[in-house]
Amino acid sequence: MEKDPLSAASDTDVSNFNKNPRVKLYILNENRAWDDQGIAHVTATFVNKLKGISLVVRKEHEYTLMLESKIQPYTAYQKQQETLIVWSEPDSFDYALSFQDKSGCDEIWEKICQVQGKDPSVEITQDVIEQESEELEEDHFDDMHDSSTGMSLPPCELSRLEEIAELFNGSLLTPIKREKLTILIENEGYVKKLIDLFHMCEDLDNTEGLHHLYSIFKSLFLLNKTALFEIMFADDVIFDVVGVLEYDPSVPQLVRHREFLRTQTKLKEVIPLNNTELVQKIHQTYRVQFIQDIILPAPSVFEENLLSTLTSFIYFNKMEIVTMIQEDGEFLKLLFRQLADDETDDEKRRDLLLFLKEFCTFSQTLAQQNKEAFFKVLSDLGLLNMLEVIMGLDDPVMKSTAVDVFSYIVEFNPSMVREFILHEGQKQDDDDLLINLVIGQMISDTDPEMGGALQLMGIIRLLIDPENMVGKVQKTEKSEFLGFFYPRCMHVLTAPLCANTVDDKPSKDDYQNAQLLSLIIELLTFCVEHHAYHIKQYIINKNLLSRVLVLLKSRHSFLNLSALRLLRRTIGLKDEIYHKHIVKTDLFKPVAEAFTRNGKRYNLFNSAVIELFEYIKTEDIKSLVTYFVERHYKSFEDVEYVQTFRVLKQQHEQHQDRLLSRTGSLDTYTPTIRNRFRRVARTMEEEEDIWFDQDDDFDDADLSTKVDLFKTKLEVDYEPINKLLGNNKQTAHSTNFGRKSPPPKVFSKASVSIHSSLTGSLSPGATPASSPSNSPSTPPARPTSPPSSQDHLSPVSANKQGIVGLVDYPDEDSEEDETSEDSDSALPPSKKSRLST
């Protein structure tokens, strides 16, 4: 028994294969019962020894081969119940694959249908034999050997060419006739006989016969059968087939395709190919592709699904070419050695790189696990290092080709590229990093339409997209790569933007530069949407939004809209830090100026500005509403065709009225000393704004500065309480010791809780807080006897000056306060001290 070459597969091979659809394999036994062969995984892939696409079934975990069945063009595969595929092997068993899920069944079914040239929507790939309809049985072919029981081909003679053409054309009407005709042509070697007639007609200049032959071979293509294509595309036949297709009766002048293929096309072997089969397969694939793309009529004439097998033929040829080259390890090693060799001249290196690009293009036909192995082999040979060197050259052709190869890698496995970039970042300068070379290539694109830059922007976006950072290490990969990208690469990306916005208008405003800036802003917009922390820090620290909004003065409308779109996305995040930055740097000013310059023109920019403020109105972003109305409403007050700006002003006025109403009620209430206090609302909001504005100006690393700022803020907040406590303690100390001591701090361990101080009994003879004698001009009453040590800690003089900025709760809370006082008085001292540390 032949040993399975993959039986000793590595853990990686097993892991990759186990990603394929999970199935149970059944075999029909002699008693017509299904035997369960166990759980396995299945894939449809090219098998060399079977020379075709085959169903490969391997046992789960063990990776042992259970079934290897070539997908034959005439085998009837049947799909049942959405998760079952059943078929019969010629002279063998009946098999069934029961899939774990519908998606796996659909994936394998599409592969089977692709090989057989069938529409995946069918449930059986080959039509069963059934009686023809009466309408088709009455056609004129009934007089020519055609019946419901059989069909025969006329003798292959010049005089019968018209009859043959009519038979072939008529057989295309029903699937059963196509099947019968295909079998007859294959069994009788009819294609070779038709080729002999073609040579005879050409020698005799028989134009009518050549036109009939064109019709016959056109029908052969429309039969859409792999077996016939293998005959027609053989090395000794394919040029004659091309010759027949030259005599299209609808084309008035003869097009000499054979001459072009023989004289103008030549396989350029940058590295000698010693495999004869590989060379033949490359020639065949090129010629068949030429027939499909150049010679045959457009798909609108040849219904596209009728040539699906031709497309599949080319597809699997390319897969076979890639497989054969990949298996030749010495060939690939020689390729990369010559690419990296300093003695290789530029022309030779250019040809080698073009071959590598074509090789990667063909690899797109590989199955997922095979493609992963393919790029792993190239990566191990140093592909990314080689591309990095080539991108640093001055040859535009090689740089463009290297970008194409790089795009294939990034699209398939961006994580592999990110890992390479992080690794090289540990030992290389920023200018030499692969990703910075890609950014530099985008910036220096000479195409006025920036086609290459657009392709490179897509590559960069794939690399920085958190959505494709998959797997268990997603969080680590995202934080690690973005933490690397922003400090080491972002300055390269934004350099053209910063250089062009030094003044209050763009320094360069030509079309090509505007296109480049538009692409950069599009990338920044993507970052704003997907990178919350890193891009926020970068925008605020570099004041990047101000730079971008300078471009509102550009004469290019698309650039104006790109700049405005970035601001709109930033506001749309509803991040208060962004909102404070907008207010602080007055970013609505360039928007208002641009809106004024636009005048009364009803265009896209006008609508975009209105939509931005409509969003602010709808979401009622108070900080931006207040900022807009107080500083820029005059620029929009004449706009009457929408109500957006008028409503924004009304929202602002209503907000101010609420604040005034709240503040007014608090100011008219006479504050009294109670057990609970709170700050005036308006004062608190103002101080919070100052606090957050100051906080935005510091980096995360400046922790000590922030701690000091926090302490200062707390001291300001509690200053009235400190004064109150300080006055009382100063009185007590002067009585006991006859000297002044510094006022106690709220956070001092010696200080008592405000709750205890204010609810405790005042010293004998003290005037209640509500009496007139406790007015600011009246000095506090002295105790009638010297205070004890306990008295000197707890009593507090009810001086009104000591509670500036504090207000009492309304009288409705009196019962609650009294209840709280009673309950607090029963608590031990340790429970009463709320603010002591």
Side-chain angles (χ1 to χ4, degrees):
M1 180 178 177
E2 184 180 355
K3 186 179 179 181
D4 177 17
L6 296 177
S7 58
S10 64
D11 293 341
T12 304
D13 294 332
V14 176
S15 175
N16 290 337
F17 195 86
N18 285 343
K19 295 177 183 178
N20 293 312
R22 196 165 183 252
V23 297
K24 268 193 174 183
L25 175 65
Y26 294 89
I27 299 179
L28 193 66
N29 60 27
E30 296 176 354
N31 299 324
R32 309 300 297 171
W34 290 103
D35 291 335
D36 185 351
Q37 303 299 308
I39 299 175
H41 292 269
V42 62
T43 185
T45 187
F46 184 84
V47 178
N48 285 330
K49 66 180 180 180
L50 297 179
K51 296 185 178 179
I53 302 300
S54 306
L55 294 176
V56 179
V57 182
R58 293 185 179 274
K59 197 169 186 65
E60 189 174 44
H61 304 308
E62 299 178 12
Y63 201 57
T64 54
L65 185 64
M66 299 175 65
L67 176 66
E68 206 171 54
S69 171
K70 182 178 179 181
I71 302 174
Q72 301 290 350
Y74 303 119
T75 300
Y77 292 86
Q78 188 174 3
K79 184 180 179 184
Q80 301 176 3
Q81 303 173 2
E82 295 188 338
T83 58
L84 195 65
I85 296 178
V86 183
W87 76 99
S88 298
E89 289 284 338
D91 304 323
S92 184
F93 301 97
D94 291 353
Y95 293 97
L97 291 174
S98 178
F99 289 80
Q100 184 179 19
D101 50 49
K102 180 179 179 295
S103 60
C105 184
D106 292 340
E107 177 184 339
I108 299 300
W109 184 252
E110 287 179 7
K111 290 276 188 174
I112 294 171
C113 292
Q114 189 176 33
V115 173
Q116 294 196 341
K118 302 295 181 181
D119 189 341
S121 62
V122 301
E123 294 185 348
I124 183 170
T125 61
Q126 303 295 330
D127 298 298
V128 294
I129 305 296
E130 61 183 6
Q131 188 176 3
E132 300 285 344
S133 65
E134 292 182 1
E135 181 181 353
L136 292 176
E137 285 181 351
E138 293 175 356
D139 64 18
H140 62 282
F141 294 110
D142 286 342
D143 298 332
M144 302 185 327
H145 312 289
D146 186 19
S147 67
S148 61
T149 59
M151 176 187 294
S152 61
L153 295 173
C156 197
E157 300 173 355
L158 284 177
S159 58
R160 309 293 291 272
L161 281 176
E162 184 176 359
E163 181 183 346
I164 297 170
E166 291 179 357
L167 174 63
F168 280 29
N169 288 333
S171 298
L172 298 173
L173 298 176
T174 60
I176 187 62
K177 288 185 177 180
R178 289 202 300 269
E179 296 295 337
K180 290 178 180 179
L181 180 60
T182 301
I183 294 172
L184 287 173
I185 292 171
E186 189 176 0
N187 292 339
E188 297 184 16
Y190 214 71
V191 173
K192 295 287 184 69
K193 296 177 182 179
L194 291 171
I195 293 298
D196 292 338
L197 285 182
F198 168 68
H199 291 154
M200 192 180 301
C201 288
E202 270 205 318
D203 293 339
L204 298 173
D205 290 332
N206 187 346
T207 304
E208 184 180 359
L210 291 170
H211 287 170
H212 286 316
L213 283 167
Y214 174 87
S215 177
I216 292 169
F217 274 85
K218 176 181 173 182
S219 299
L220 288 176
F221 276 95
L222 290 175
L223 286 173
N224 205 30
K225 298 299 180 183
T226 304
L228 296 182
F229 288 150
E230 290 177 351
I231 296 171
M232 291 192 293
F233 299 151
D235 288 345
D236 58 337
V237 178
I238 189 168
F239 272 99
D240 293 323
V241 173
V242 172
V244 173
L245 297 177
E246 290 177 355
Y247 293 93
D248 184 354
S250 63
V251 178
Q253 187 174 0
L254 183 67
V255 181
R256 303 188 180 279
H257 297 299
R258 284 173 293 177
E259 182 180 347
F260 174 81
L261 289 174
R262 285 195 177 106
T263 61
Q264 301 298 319
T265 61
K266 182 181 178 182
L267 176 62
K268 190 171 186 178
E269 298 184 23
V270 291
I271 294 179
L273 298 172
N274 300 322
N275 189 335
T276 306
E277 184 183 357
L278 173 60
V279 174
Q280 290 176 348
K281 189 67 67 175
I282 293 173
H283 282 301
Q284 184 190 60
T285 305
Y286 176 81
R287 291 161 186 167
V288 176
Q289 189 89 57
F290 183 85
I291 291 173
Q292 184 188 46
D293 295 342
I294 306 299
I295 301 178
L296 291 180
S300 58
V301 179
F302 268 53
E303 296 180 23
E304 192 170 356
N305 60 330
L306 292 180
L307 288 174
S308 59
T309 304
L310 181 62
T311 303
S312 298
F313 186 92
I314 298 170
Y315 175 89
F316 292 121
N317 262 19
K318 291 180 177 179
M319 185 185 298
E320 197 171 345
I321 290 170
V322 173
T323 303
M324 285 191 284
I325 294 177
Q326 188 178 349
E327 290 175 351
D328 189 350
E330 291 302 319
F331 180 87
L332 290 177
K333 290 179 182 178
L334 180 59
L335 171 67
F336 279 89
R337 272 202 306 269
Q338 292 191 15
L339 277 170
D341 192 350
D342 294 336
E343 296 182 0
T344 304
D345 60 79
D346 289 346
E347 184 177 356
K348 176 73 171 178
R349 183 176 284 107
R350 193 180 300 116
D351 291 338
L352 290 167
L353 198 58
L354 289 170
F355 169 81
L356 182 61
K357 174 188 172 181
E358 194 74 12
F359 188 39
C360 292
T361 303
F362 277 26
S363 72
Q364 303 307 299
T365 61
L366 295 173
Q368 181 73 12
Q369 68 273 13
N370 295 338
K371 194 184 295 185
E372 186 172 340
F374 171 80
F375 282 110
K376 180 68 167 58
V377 169
L378 296 186
S379 178
D380 292 342
L381 290 170
L383 175 61
L384 291 173
N385 284 306
M386 184 268 298
L387 292 177
E388 187 174 30
V389 172
I390 292 176
M391 285 185 186
L393 302 178
D394 294 330
D395 191 313
V397 176
M398 283 196 283
K399 290 173 76 172
S400 175
T401 308
V403 167
D404 291 336
V405 175
F406 185 63
S407 67
Y408 286 127
I409 305 171
V410 174
E411 288 171 7
F412 177 73
N413 193 349
S415 292
M416 182 176 72
V417 180
R418 283 191 286 263
E419 183 180 354
F420 173 83
I421 292 171
L422 289 173
H423 179 72
E424 71 164 357
Q426 299 174 2
K427 54 187 178 182
Q428 290 196 14
D429 296 333
D430 292 354
D431 295 340
D432 299 327
L433 294 175
L434 175 59
I435 188 169
N436 284 345
L437 292 174
V438 172
I439 296 173
Q441 177 82 348
M442 182 187 82
I443 293 172
S444 60
D445 187 11
T446 56
D447 181 9
E449 296 296 330
M450 304 298 288
L454 185 62
Q455 179 190 10
L456 289 164
M457 185 202 71
I459 293 173
I460 297 168
R461 184 158 56 185
L462 278 173
L463 287 174
I464 62 176
D465 186 1
E467 297 298 325
N468 61 47
M469 299 178 186
V470 295
K472 296 181 179 179
V473 295
Q474 177 177 5
K475 185 176 181 181
T476 303
E477 183 181 13
K478 176 181 176 181
S479 59
E480 185 178 8
F481 186 76
L482 294 183
F484 170 87
F485 177 79
Y486 275 86
R488 302 196 59 179
C489 306
M490 185 58 93
H491 66 282
V492 181
L493 178 63
T494 57
L497 172 65
C498 295
N500 207 37
T501 54
V502 174
D503 302 321
D504 59 350
K505 64 179 182 179
S507 56
K508 290 183 180 179
D509 204 20
D510 57 280
Y511 177 76
Q512 184 172 351
N513 198 62
Q515 285 273 40
L516 174 61
L517 294 177
S518 177
L519 293 178
I520 293 174
I521 294 174
E522 186 174 342
L523 271 177
L524 292 175
T525 305
F526 177 85
C527 294
V528 166
E529 293 172 342
H530 293 84
H531 305 162
Y533 171 74
H534 294 86
I535 188 63
K536 184 195 305 180
Q537 295 296 317
Y538 193 85
I539 285 177
I540 293 175
N541 291 337
K542 302 294 184 182
N543 197 16
L544 202 61
L545 279 175
S546 296
R547 293 295 192 96
V548 170
L549 293 179
V550 170
L551 301 176
L552 291 176
K553 296 183 179 180
S554 170
R555 59 188 177 90
H556 300 284
S557 300
F558 66 87
L559 186 56
N560 302 152
L561 292 168
S562 295
L564 191 63
R565 189 182 305 116
L566 179 60
L567 178 63
R568 171 65 177 83
R569 292 290 186 275
T570 305
I571 294 174
L573 294 177
K574 300 181 184 179
D575 189 323
E576 191 61 27
I577 294 179
Y578 274 130
H579 298 166
K580 289 181 180 294
H581 178 69
I582 290 171
V583 174
K584 182 178 179 180
T585 53
D586 196 11
L587 294 183
F588 282 176
K589 180 180 179 181
V591 177
E593 291 174 349
F595 187 85
T596 303
R597 286 195 302 271
N598 191 60
K600 297 183 178 181
R601 286 177 291 177
Y602 182 66
N603 52 21
L604 194 56
F605 182 80
N606 176 279
S607 300
V609 173
I610 292 174
E611 192 278 333
L612 184 148
F613 288 106
E614 181 70 23
Y615 176 82
I616 296 173
K617 181 202 79 175
T618 304
E619 298 297 325
D620 193 18
I621 306 175
K622 292 182 176 57
S623 59
L624 297 183
V625 171
T626 301
Y627 160 58
F628 166 74
V629 173
E630 292 181 353
R631 300 183 64 175
H632 297 292
Y633 177 73
K634 290 185 178 180
S635 301
F636 299 86
E637 62 182 349
D638 295 334
V639 178
E640 298 179 352
Y641 49 86
V642 291
Q643 300 301 313
T644 303
F645 306 107
R646 182 178 60 82
V647 174
L648 279 171
K649 186 177 182 183
Q650 291 174 357
Q651 285 181 340
H652 173 67
E653 292 172 348
Q654 291 169 2
H655 180 58
Q656 293 299 315
D657 289 343
R658 285 194 295 269
L659 289 177
L660 288 172
S661 175
R662 190 187 313 163
T663 307
S665 64
L666 294 173
D667 289 344
T668 56
Y669 187 81
T670 305
T672 58
I673 302 178
R674 287 181 180 266
N675 64 324
R676 293 188 300 166
F677 295 88
R678 79 178 165 208
R679 302 293 306 275
V680 179
R682 188 173 181 84
T683 305
M684 177 66 74
E685 288 181 2
E686 291 173 353
E687 293 186 0
E688 289 294 331
D689 287 342
I690 296 172
W691 164 248
F692 280 110
D693 286 343
Q694 291 171 336
D695 185 57
D696 290 344
D697 294 332
F698 292 97
D699 294 330
D700 292 341
D702 199 359
L703 183 60
S704 61
T705 306
K706 288 191 173 183
V707 171
D708 294 340
L709 186 61
F710 180 69
K711 289 181 178 178
T712 304
K713 180 179 184 298
L714 288 178
E715 290 179 1
V716 171
D717 288 345
Y718 287 102
E719 184 179 358
I721 302 173
N722 287 330
K723 286 183 178 180
L724 179 64
L725 295 176
N727 289 337
N728 186 66
K729 292 206 71 176
Q730 184 175 356
T731 304
H733 275 269
S734 61
T735 303
N736 287 306
F737 305 107
R739 61 183 180 85
K740 195 182 271 188
S741 62
K745 297 290 184 180
V746 173
F747 295 101
S748 171
K749 291 186 178 180
S751 65
V752 297
S753 69
I754 303 171
H755 187 84
S756 301
S757 301
L758 297 178
T759 57
S761 59
L762 294 174
S763 56
T767 306
S770 58
S771 67
S773 63
N774 199 40
S775 63
S777 59
T778 304
R782 289 182 173 273
T784 57
S785 61
S788 64
S789 61
Q790 178 67 25
D791 292 335
H792 128 259
L793 287 174
S794 60
V796 179
S797 175
N799 189 338
K800 189 174 181 180
Q801 290 178 344
I803 55 172
V804 175
L806 298 174
V807 297
D808 189 19
Y809 282 103
D811 289 338
E812 291 82 21
D813 296 338
S814 298
E815 293 182 3
E816 179 185 347
D817 294 342
E818 292 170 3
T819 304
S820 177
E821 290 174 5
D822 294 339
S823 61
D824 287 348
S825 63
L827 293 175
S830 61
K831 297 293 185 181
K832 293 181 181 181
S833 182
R834 301 296 184 186
L835 294 178
S836 62
T837 58

